[in-house]
Amino acid sequence: MANSLKASPDGKPRVFLWINPRLSTVFERLAAHIGADIWHEPYATEFFNRLYANPETFTKFPRMKGFADQHQETLNPTDFAKPLYAGGNLVKSDKYTIEYITENLSKPLEDGKEFLFVKDAAFGIDGHYDDLPKVF
């Protein structure tokens, strides 16, 4: 059976941890202390950005309005177009797409980083499995 995974562009390991919410932040903390480039829930963030941007969301799920308002309060109150996480850099949500995430997770790591560690909730990638980077 042929392996469809490609080697990472810099030869450094990539680790993807699929989790349930609230169970795995300790893994991120540990990985950060041993030289990892950390990405915190990029696909789940993209999922919520897409969900909030859809005007039908709050019509179909009116209780989500309160959740979205709480989320908004954690961000810059003048710019709702920012996600919580984007590989350590905030990126406007219209640019923070599955394609953007996949492209950036496939790039060589920054100098000094020993491996890439991504923690994410599986619901964020559901239906987009073919878009996962081939370097994992």
Side-chain angles (χ1 to χ4, degrees):
M1 181 171 170
N3 184 347
S4 63
L5 294 177
K6 297 179 186 174
S8 62
D10 50 20
K12 294 183 178 180
R14 265 87 168 127
V15 177
F16 216 122
L17 177 63
W18 295 104
I19 52 89
N20 291 324
R22 308 284 181 250
L23 295 178
S24 58
T25 303
V26 69
F27 288 105
E28 283 182 319
R29 306 271 189 229
L30 175 64
H33 286 288
I34 57 175
D37 182 6
I38 307 289
W39 278 62
H40 177 90
E41 301 179 8
Y43 291 104
T45 299
E46 186 279 335
F47 172 84
F48 282 118
N49 285 341
R50 193 168 8 104
L51 192 66
Y52 295 161
N54 182 346
E56 294 180 20
T57 296
F58 301 117
T59 303
K60 289 180 181 176
F61 308 102
R63 290 183 155 190
M64 282 192 68
K65 180 73 172 115
F67 178 76
D69 290 344
Q70 288 177 351
H71 177 250
Q72 170 62 21
E73 290 173 14
T74 67
L75 304 173
N76 178 345
T78 63
D79 190 359
F80 187 57
K82 289 183 179 178
L84 284 174
Y85 303 99
N89 300 307
L90 290 175
V91 175
K92 290 224 178 252
S93 62
D94 63 338
K95 304 276 190 246
Y96 197 70
T97 62
I98 287 178
E99 294 79 16
Y100 170 88
I101 297 164
T102 300
E103 177 184 326
N104 281 278
L105 290 178
S106 300
K107 289 181 177 178
L109 300 183
E110 296 176 18
D111 287 341
K113 299 297 181 179
E114 297 299 319
F115 65 101
L116 178 67
F117 183 86
V118 182
K119 177 188 90 162
D120 213 334
F123 68 80
I125 195 66
D126 191 36
H128 299 278
Y129 302 111
D130 290 340
D131 294 317
L132 285 169
K134 302 298 184 232
V135 295
F136 282 93

